[in-house]
Structure formats: structure tokens, C-alpha cells
Amino acid sequence: MIKMTPLMKELLDKALEDGTPCLIGTASKDGRPQISPKGSVAMFDDDTLCYWERSHRSSQSRIGENPNVTVYYRNPARKENPYRAGCIRFHGKARLVTDGPERDRAWDLTNHEEQSKDPQKKGAAVLIRTRVLSFSGFLSGWNGASV
């Protein structure tokens, strides 16, 4: 299990405000890649990220076909970011959550700017169980050991 840090939480929480929303990399079942900006990526728990999926377009359908995703964060201008080149990659398996307490919690973790773009709360939560973290060349696996 990967354990994310409070600093990672802070960086993700401020990503949209800093003008550096995370990019979500997905792939279709036949391997065609897609990258989409997501302004609501947040830390759901110590080893899970979440975001609010309000577009209902390619990212959502691709997660149904192939749950393997990468979340890319980069902000080299942030002084308190110790990661090389200001970059963190979170690799994991995603799942769509359309109702229940996990969806409600993901909504609560979604920043107000993104919530305002879905006032009727028609979107869904995407939960990503992180398996590997990459810091510009260094990988951390299931138990924190380099791989």
C-alpha cells in the first residue's frame, strides 16, 4: 500500500488555484491513450485519490474499459514542493462511483470552483487506488520500496 503525505494533499488541494490542475491519463481497452485535465483531484484517504467527473465524456468511458490510470501533478514554481521538477505521478486503478457515501465524500472533497460547474450534482466520483508513485524517475511501490 502507498501512503500519501500531508504535503501531497496540500499540493493537490491547491493545484487548481495555482493554475496547475492535474492531468488524468487513461487508455481504452485497445490501449489508445487519452489525457484530460481535472481540477478536482483530491486525496480521499492515505492511498486513494478522487476527482469529480462532470463531463461524462472519454475519461469516464475509458475507466469502464480499462481502470489503469495515471494522475500527473506538476508545479515547479511552488517553493514548498520538494519533488524533482515539481512533478508527482500517481499510478493506480480507478473506479466510477455513481451513488452512496463514497460519492458524497468525493463531492465534499471537490473544490468550490468545480462544484459550481455542476450545481445539480449530476457527476460521479472517480476513486483511484494508488499503487505506485513516481517522482521524476524514482518509483515507490506497494510497500514504499523502490521498484
Side-chain angles (χ1 to χ4, degrees):
M1 173 174 72
I2 296 294
K3 184 171 181 175
M4 291 180 272
T5 68
L7 176 59
M8 289 175 189
K9 179 185 181 329
E10 179 185 338
L11 293 171
L12 292 172
D13 286 347
K14 297 191 186 258
L16 184 62
E17 180 182 322
D18 288 347
T20 57
C22 291
L23 300 175
I24 307 293
T26 58
S28 63
K29 64 183 170 192
D30 61 351
R32 283 177 296 168
Q34 171 73 31
I35 296 175
S36 303
K38 299 296 177 185
S40 61
V41 175
M43 200 160 80
F44 189 82
D45 61 32
D46 284 348
D47 67 347
T48 308
L49 296 177
C50 67
Y51 68 89
W52 191 253
E53 177 55 61
R54 60 182 170 75
S55 71
H56 303 290
R57 290 188 285 198
S58 63
S59 291
Q60 183 172 334
S61 63
R62 286 171 184 259
I63 286 168
E65 294 177 9
N66 179 352
N68 297 302
V69 301
T70 298
V71 177
Y72 181 79
Y73 167 87
R74 183 171 189 261
N75 187 350
R78 205 169 233 288
K79 290 180 176 55
E80 64 277 6
N81 185 343
Y83 306 109
R84 184 175 171 194
C87 175
I88 310 169
R89 287 178 192 88
F90 303 86
H91 306 269
K93 291 208 179 272
R95 63 187 172 91
L96 196 66
V97 180
T98 58
D99 60 14
E102 290 178 318
R103 179 183 183 268
D104 294 339
R105 181 151 191 275
W107 172 260
D108 292 342
L109 291 170
T110 299
N111 60 61
H112 295 294
E113 184 174 340
E114 286 293 312
Q115 284 184 347
S116 72
K117 295 174 182 173
D118 188 6
Q120 296 178 345
K121 203 172 162 182
K122 291 184 176 181
V126 175
L127 300 184
I128 303 165
R129 177 79 185 265
T130 358
R131 290 174 162 61
V132 176
L133 297 177
S134 169
F135 310 100
S136 289
F138 175 79
L139 293 176
S140 178
W142 283 97
N143 60 5
S146 62
V147 292

